[in-house]
Amino acid sequence: MNKCTFISRRYLKGKKSRLAGSHWLSLLGIIIGVSALLIILSVMNGMREVVIERILASSAEIEIDLNAENDIPQIINTLNNFEFTKYLNPVYEEDLVILAKKQTILAKFVGINLTEFKKHNQVLNKLPYSQLISDKPGLIYGHNNLDLFTNNGAFIGYELARRYSLNLGDEFTVISLGKSNFSSIGQIPLTKNFTIQGIYSNLIPELELGIVYVSDSNLQNLTHSKQLYNKIELYSKDFSKANTYKKQIQALLENNSVTSWSDKNSNLYDAQKLEKNVMSFVLSLIIILSSFNLSGSFLKKVSNKKKELGILSTIGYSQKDIMKIFLYQGIILGFAGVAVGNMLAYSLLIIQLKFNIISMPSNIVHIFPTLPISIQLTDFILVTLFSLTFSIVSSLFPIYRIKKLNPIDLIKE
């Protein structure tokens, strides 16, 4: 065993235990900080993945707004030529007002071809009765009969139905405020009656509250639009590269607005990202404070061991060797704390994944039926490097002080 390593291990020991009391506090601080940081990162990663999955379950990765002068077949042909294009879904969207049970509701109506829509979007596919409250999007009440849908049927979100007490079979009136008919008494807003055919869930209350699906022909008739479609939804082969694909499309379709799924849900996406960064910063402070505590205990050790350090200098230990003694202590404690913290975090995460020990409150079960967890190797690597770096840096303060000490003066003290 290296002589510096041997003395480092001796200095780590206390009088009554294998580790000095001050070092226990530092070690526990590193363990708690590392494990807490990894657990929080895994939970935040899980929430982010669940939210993204549910957003993409009810919307495309990229949307291209169409203009009245656009040649739609030509644009569709252009988009199909991109190698990343998986599927194109032309739709008609319009912001309209709902009058139901003496309530006024603003919602986005999406006109779709139900047969084609169900092939690539599961939000209107009927869920089995046993999965009505689950972690999968789908149609939880009603049915997706095509004849009823084309005959003024409408699908509304679970949150919209819950908040405004709407039920299957209820009729509501839709008003187009931007367009109207001329009559002898003036302008009359365009209106149309729809019947609630089904209630869907995509497990994101904000989207369930604001999106209503009706047939494209009914929506076109209501708005008296000359366009059957005013938007093209593009489903790609890799949703994570949506912003890259968006730039390629925008370069060819300069006169059309192109948005990605992250653009449309930027508030939710950015809020989660900010929350993860803040939580990571706060928990990182635990590791940093533990490292400073480690540095303080080393400085105390230098003060208490001055005479011994002087004797080591006289028997052949160079100043560099003495500095290594304290550096090795920081490395040993750092590796021990990080290793135990990693194992503790991984064990707790696996237990939660298998046994669901922590259940979600009843008011958010609809959003997260279970605590979402995503274990990522990069998080463990980055947290390990971060913790080891601060543990080693904490050893540099006593080393700097040792450089200023004179061996003769140490022995005299």
Side-chain angles (χ1 to χ4, degrees):
M1 181 184 295
N2 184 281
K3 60 181 181 180
C4 296
T5 304
F6 175 78
I7 296 178
S8 295
R9 295 180 60 181
R10 293 284 298 177
Y11 277 2
L12 286 173
K13 293 182 178 180
K15 294 180 180 180
K16 297 182 180 181
S17 65
R18 294 185 177 182
L19 193 65
S22 59
H23 292 332
W24 270 117
L25 293 175
S26 302
L27 183 62
L28 287 174
I30 295 174
I31 293 172
I32 293 172
V34 169
S35 58
L37 184 55
L38 288 172
I39 290 172
I40 288 297
L41 287 175
S42 298
V43 172
M44 296 303 295
N45 289 335
M47 289 185 174
R48 178 179 177 273
E49 290 181 2
V50 168
V51 169
I52 291 175
E53 179 183 358
R54 292 174 183 175
I55 288 173
L56 296 178
S58 56
S59 62
E61 290 99 23
I62 300 173
E63 289 186 356
I64 301 94
D65 291 331
L66 300 174
N67 304 318
E69 64 274 8
N70 283 145
D71 184 349
I72 296 179
Q74 178 61 39
I75 291 179
I76 291 177
N77 183 58
T78 300
L79 295 174
N80 277 322
N81 287 333
F82 287 106
E83 60 179 13
F84 55 77
T85 300
K86 183 178 179 181
Y87 173 72
L88 297 176
N89 181 39
V91 298
Y92 187 88
E93 291 185 2
E94 188 81 28
D95 290 329
L96 302 171
V97 175
I98 298 173
L99 293 180
K101 296 185 177 181
K102 298 181 180 180
Q103 303 174 101
T104 303
I105 310 164
L106 179 64
K108 180 172 73 173
F109 278 68
V110 181
I112 59 172
N113 181 314
L114 183 59
T115 303
E116 293 298 321
F117 184 85
K118 290 191 298 181
K119 292 179 180 179
H120 302 276
N121 197 312
Q122 56 185 329
V123 77
L124 296 184
N125 288 332
K126 182 67 175 176
L127 286 173
Y129 182 77
S130 60
Q131 296 181 5
L132 294 188
I133 298 178
S134 68
D135 58 352
K136 294 182 180 180
L139 195 62
I140 55 178
Y141 302 113
H143 41 78
N144 51 23
N145 181 275
L146 181 59
D147 293 334
L148 290 175
F149 185 64
T150 54
N151 187 23
N152 298 337
F155 296 102
I156 66 172
Y158 173 81
E159 184 66 19
L160 181 64
R162 185 193 66 81
R163 185 171 300 189
Y164 295 101
S165 301
L166 300 176
N167 301 303
L168 288 177
D170 287 351
E171 289 190 357
F172 60 85
T173 301
V174 178
I175 302 175
S176 177
L177 297 178
K179 298 176 182 179
S180 59
N181 280 327
F182 288 97
S183 69
S184 58
I185 60 173
Q187 290 185 330
I188 301 177
L190 301 177
T191 63
K192 189 175 183 62
N193 293 329
F194 287 91
T195 302
I196 298 177
Q197 176 180 342
I199 299 175
Y200 70 86
S201 171
N202 57 19
L203 303 173
I204 300 181
E206 290 80 4
L207 298 181
E208 293 175 358
L209 184 63
I211 299 178
V212 177
Y213 294 100
V214 296
S215 73
D216 46 18
S217 58
N218 285 334
L219 188 56
Q220 184 187 31
N221 292 334
L222 168 63
T223 58
H224 288 186
S225 172
K226 295 181 180 179
Q227 293 178 263
L228 182 59
Y229 306 112
N230 62 0
K231 185 170 292 185
I232 295 177
E233 296 180 339
L234 186 147
Y235 294 81
S236 67
K237 297 177 181 178
D238 186 355
F239 75 90
S240 63
K241 298 180 181 179
N243 286 324
T244 301
Y245 301 153
K246 182 187 78 171
K247 293 178 182 179
Q248 297 181 39
I249 296 171
Q250 191 68 78
L252 290 179
L253 304 177
E254 297 179 354
N255 297 325
N256 296 84
S257 174
V258 183
T259 56
S260 66
W261 65 269
S262 57
D263 295 331
K264 293 184 295 178
N265 302 276
S266 58
N267 291 337
L268 180 62
Y269 190 71
D270 292 342
Q272 278 204 316
K273 188 176 181 180
L274 177 62
E275 186 178 4
K276 178 181 178 180
N277 292 336
V278 171
M279 292 294 293
S280 300
F281 173 74
V282 172
L283 292 173
S284 297
L285 293 178
I286 298 177
I287 300 174
I288 295 173
L289 290 174
S290 300
S291 299
F292 280 122
N293 185 43
L294 189 63
S295 181
S297 64
F298 284 165
L299 288 172
K300 183 180 178 181
K301 183 80 70 176
V302 171
S303 299
N304 295 336
K305 301 287 186 180
K306 283 183 179 181
K307 190 171 183 178
E308 295 180 19
L309 295 176
I311 294 174
L312 289 175
S313 298
T314 59
I315 61 174
Y317 280 76
S318 65
Q319 192 178 57
K320 186 177 180 181
D321 291 334
I322 296 175
M323 291 166 61
K324 286 181 180 180
I325 292 174
F326 289 92
L327 180 61
Y328 289 166
Q329 289 182 66
I331 294 174
I332 292 171
L333 287 174
F335 268 100
V338 170
V340 175
N342 274 274
M343 288 188 291
L344 178 62
Y346 185 77
S347 300
L348 292 175
L349 291 171
I350 292 298
I351 291 173
Q352 173 61 26
L353 282 173
K354 289 188 175 182
F355 303 105
N356 193 29
I357 303 295
I358 302 176
S359 58
M360 303 302 290
S362 58
N363 61 327
I364 60 172
V365 167
H366 177 59
I367 305 173
F368 298 111
T370 59
L371 184 66
I373 290 174
S374 175
I375 302 174
Q376 297 185 4
L377 179 61
T378 52
D379 288 339
F380 279 76
I381 293 174
L382 291 175
V383 172
T384 297
L385 293 176
F386 173 81
S387 304
L388 287 176
T389 299
F390 272 92
S391 298
I392 294 173
V393 168
S394 66
S395 308
L396 299 180
F397 291 102
I399 288 175
Y400 178 76
R401 185 171 180 178
I402 291 171
K403 290 178 66 176
K404 295 185 176 182
L405 297 178
N406 189 314
I408 304 300
D409 294 335
L410 292 176
I411 295 176
K412 288 181 179 181
E413 290 185 11

